[in-house]
Amino acid sequence: MENQQQEQREYINTKLEERDRKLLESIRDIQETKKQIAATQQKKWWIFWK
C-alpha cells in the first residue's frame, strides 16, 4: 500500500514538472513573439511625413 502511494506521488510530481516545463516554454515563446511583433511595428517617425 505504501509503495503504491509512493509511486503515485512520483507520478504526480513528474507530471507537475512536465506541466511547469511546458508552461515556461510557452511563456518564452509568447515573449519572443511579442518582441518580434514590437520590432516590426517600430517605424521611423519621418516615414509618416512623406
Side-chain angles (χ1 to χ4, degrees):
M1 184 75 166
E2 188 174 320
N3 189 23
Q4 185 179 7
Q5 288 178 343
Q6 180 65 25
E7 289 175 2
Q8 286 177 342
R9 277 190 227 115
E10 289 176 5
Y11 175 79
I12 291 170
N13 285 338
T14 303
K15 290 298 179 183
L16 287 175
E17 287 174 5
E18 183 180 341
R19 183 204 63 177
D20 291 347
R21 183 182 52 78
K22 287 180 181 180
L23 179 62
L24 288 173
E25 184 178 334
S26 296
I27 291 171
R28 287 187 195 109
D29 288 344
I30 290 168
Q31 287 175 336
E32 183 62 31
T33 302
K34 285 183 178 182
K35 285 180 185 177
Q36 290 174 352
I37 290 170
T40 59
Q41 289 180 345
Q42 287 181 344
K43 297 181 181 178
K44 307 286 188 260
W45 62 271
W46 59 85
I47 293 175
F48 293 114
W49 301 109
K50 289 185 177 183

mmCIF file of all heavy atoms in Angstrom, residues 38-50:
data_model
loop_
_atom_site.group_PDB
_atom_site.id
_atom_site.type_symbol
_atom_site.label_atom_id
_atom_site.label_comp_id
_atom_site.label_asym_id
_atom_site.label_seq_id
_atom_site.Cartn_x
_atom_site.Cartn_y
_atom_site.Cartn_z
ATOM 1 N N ALA A 38 6.869 43.661 -31.862
ATOM 2 C CA ALA A 38 7.266 45.021 -31.494
ATOM 3 C C ALA A 38 8.365 45.529 -32.428
ATOM 4 O O ALA A 38 8.357 46.700 -32.829
ATOM 5 C CB ALA A 38 7.730 45.060 -30.054
ATOM 6 N N ALA A 39 9.282 44.672 -32.796
ATOM 7 C CA ALA A 39 10.379 45.077 -33.674
ATOM 8 C C ALA A 39 9.861 45.434 -35.064
ATOM 9 O O ALA A 39 10.357 46.374 -35.699
ATOM 10 C CB ALA A 39 11.413 43.975 -33.770
ATOM 11 N N THR A 40 8.868 44.709 -35.547
ATOM 12 C CA THR A 40 8.345 45.010 -36.881
ATOM 13 C C THR A 40 7.440 46.235 -36.864
ATOM 14 O O THR A 40 7.268 46.884 -37.889
ATOM 15 C CB THR A 40 7.564 43.806 -37.453
ATOM 16 O OG1 THR A 40 6.483 43.484 -36.585
ATOM 17 C CG2 THR A 40 8.456 42.605 -37.625
ATOM 18 N N GLN A 41 6.876 46.561 -35.724
ATOM 19 C CA GLN A 41 5.974 47.708 -35.640
ATOM 20 C C GLN A 41 6.708 49.017 -35.412
ATOM 21 O O GLN A 41 6.123 50.086 -35.548
ATOM 22 C CB GLN A 41 4.939 47.491 -34.545
ATOM 23 C CG GLN A 41 3.918 46.442 -34.905
ATOM 24 C CD GLN A 41 2.893 46.232 -33.817
ATOM 25 O OE1 GLN A 41 3.090 46.660 -32.692
ATOM 26 N NE2 GLN A 41 1.819 45.573 -34.141
ATOM 27 N N GLN A 42 7.978 48.936 -35.062
ATOM 28 C CA GLN A 42 8.740 50.172 -34.861
ATOM 29 C C GLN A 42 9.057 50.760 -36.226
ATOM 30 O O GLN A 42 9.786 50.180 -37.017
ATOM 31 C CB GLN A 42 10.033 49.902 -34.102
ATOM 32 C CG GLN A 42 9.827 49.600 -32.646
ATOM 33 C CD GLN A 42 11.145 49.358 -31.938
ATOM 34 O OE1 GLN A 42 12.166 49.121 -32.568
ATOM 35 N NE2 GLN A 42 11.117 49.406 -30.627
ATOM 36 N N LYS A 43 8.482 51.913 -36.488
ATOM 37 C CA LYS A 43 8.706 52.582 -37.762
ATOM 38 C C LYS A 43 9.403 53.913 -37.511
ATOM 39 O O LYS A 43 9.285 54.504 -36.446
ATOM 40 C CB LYS A 43 7.376 52.806 -38.476
ATOM 41 C CG LYS A 43 6.672 51.519 -38.832
ATOM 42 C CD LYS A 43 5.389 51.789 -39.555
ATOM 43 C CE LYS A 43 4.695 50.484 -39.891
ATOM 44 N NZ LYS A 43 3.425 50.706 -40.560
ATOM 45 N N LYS A 44 10.083 54.338 -38.519
ATOM 46 C CA LYS A 44 10.757 55.618 -38.410
ATOM 47 C C LYS A 44 9.723 56.729 -38.411
ATOM 48 O O LYS A 44 8.779 56.715 -39.190
ATOM 49 C CB LYS A 44 11.712 55.803 -39.594
ATOM 50 C CG LYS A 44 12.688 54.652 -39.788
ATOM 51 C CD LYS A 44 13.771 54.681 -38.748
ATOM 52 C CE LYS A 44 14.847 53.673 -39.045
ATOM 53 N NZ LYS A 44 14.767 52.472 -38.301
ATOM 54 N N TRP A 45 9.898 57.708 -37.547
ATOM 55 C CA TRP A 45 8.903 58.763 -37.429
ATOM 56 C C TRP A 45 8.793 59.597 -38.696
ATOM 57 O O TRP A 45 7.743 60.099 -39.038
ATOM 58 C CB TRP A 45 9.183 59.652 -36.224
ATOM 59 C CG TRP A 45 10.493 60.372 -36.301
ATOM 60 C CD1 TRP A 45 11.695 59.940 -35.867
ATOM 61 C CD2 TRP A 45 10.717 61.665 -36.884
ATOM 62 N NE1 TRP A 45 12.665 60.849 -36.129
ATOM 63 C CE2 TRP A 45 12.093 61.924 -36.740
ATOM 64 C CE3 TRP A 45 9.911 62.609 -37.499
ATOM 65 C CZ2 TRP A 45 12.666 63.090 -37.214
ATOM 66 C CZ3 TRP A 45 10.474 63.779 -37.950
ATOM 67 C CH2 TRP A 45 11.846 64.006 -37.803
ATOM 68 N N TRP A 46 9.902 59.729 -39.466
ATOM 69 C CA TRP A 46 9.860 60.573 -40.646
ATOM 70 C C TRP A 46 9.124 59.912 -41.814
ATOM 71 O O TRP A 46 8.709 60.571 -42.749
ATOM 72 C CB TRP A 46 11.247 61.009 -41.069
ATOM 73 C CG TRP A 46 12.156 59.853 -41.385
ATOM 74 C CD1 TRP A 46 12.246 59.191 -42.574
ATOM 75 C CD2 TRP A 46 13.091 59.239 -40.522
ATOM 76 N NE1 TRP A 46 13.178 58.195 -42.485
ATOM 77 C CE2 TRP A 46 13.723 58.202 -41.250
ATOM 78 C CE3 TRP A 46 13.474 59.461 -39.202
ATOM 79 C CZ2 TRP A 46 14.695 57.387 -40.683
ATOM 80 C CZ3 TRP A 46 14.453 58.664 -38.661
ATOM 81 C CH2 TRP A 46 15.052 57.626 -39.398
ATOM 82 N N ILE A 47 8.934 58.594 -41.748
ATOM 83 C CA ILE A 47 8.190 57.906 -42.814
ATOM 84 C C ILE A 47 6.750 58.374 -42.828
ATOM 85 O O ILE A 47 6.131 58.476 -43.883
ATOM 86 C CB ILE A 47 8.290 56.390 -42.637
ATOM 87 C CG1 ILE A 47 9.736 55.935 -42.875
ATOM 88 C CG2 ILE A 47 7.355 55.658 -43.578
ATOM 89 C CD1 ILE A 47 9.976 54.467 -42.617
ATOM 90 N N PHE A 48 6.192 58.693 -41.698
ATOM 91 C CA PHE A 48 4.809 59.134 -41.640
ATOM 92 C C PHE A 48 4.596 60.484 -42.340
ATOM 93 O O PHE A 48 3.497 60.804 -42.745
ATOM 94 C CB PHE A 48 4.332 59.248 -40.178
ATOM 95 C CG PHE A 48 4.248 57.922 -39.489
ATOM 96 C CD1 PHE A 48 5.076 57.607 -38.429
ATOM 97 C CD2 PHE A 48 3.331 56.954 -39.903
ATOM 98 C CE1 PHE A 48 4.991 56.384 -37.786
ATOM 99 C CE2 PHE A 48 3.242 55.731 -39.284
ATOM 100 C CZ PHE A 48 4.075 55.441 -38.217
ATOM 101 N N TRP A 49 5.644 61.282 -42.455
ATOM 102 C CA TRP A 49 5.515 62.624 -43.015
ATOM 103 C C TRP A 49 5.692 62.637 -44.523
ATOM 104 O O TRP A 49 5.489 63.663 -45.153
ATOM 105 C CB TRP A 49 6.504 63.574 -42.347
ATOM 106 C CG TRP A 49 6.277 63.636 -40.879
ATOM 107 C CD1 TRP A 49 7.083 63.115 -39.931
ATOM 108 C CD2 TRP A 49 5.185 64.237 -40.199
ATOM 109 N NE1 TRP A 49 6.546 63.338 -38.685
ATOM 110 C CE2 TRP A 49 5.376 64.030 -38.825
ATOM 111 C CE3 TRP A 49 4.031 64.931 -40.614
ATOM 112 C CZ2 TRP A 49 4.492 64.487 -37.870
ATOM 113 C CZ3 TRP A 49 3.141 65.386 -39.651
ATOM 114 C CH2 TRP A 49 3.379 65.169 -38.293
ATOM 115 N N LYS A 50 6.054 61.541 -45.097
ATOM 116 C CA LYS A 50 6.256 61.503 -46.550
ATOM 117 C C LYS A 50 4.970 61.302 -47.288
ATOM 118 O O LYS A 50 4.025 60.778 -46.898
ATOM 119 C CB LYS A 50 7.243 60.389 -46.920
ATOM 120 C CG LYS A 50 8.648 60.734 -46.494
ATOM 121 C CD LYS A 50 9.607 59.673 -46.997
ATOM 122 C CE LYS A 50 11.013 60.057 -46.622
ATOM 123 N NZ LYS A 50 11.979 59.116 -47.124
#
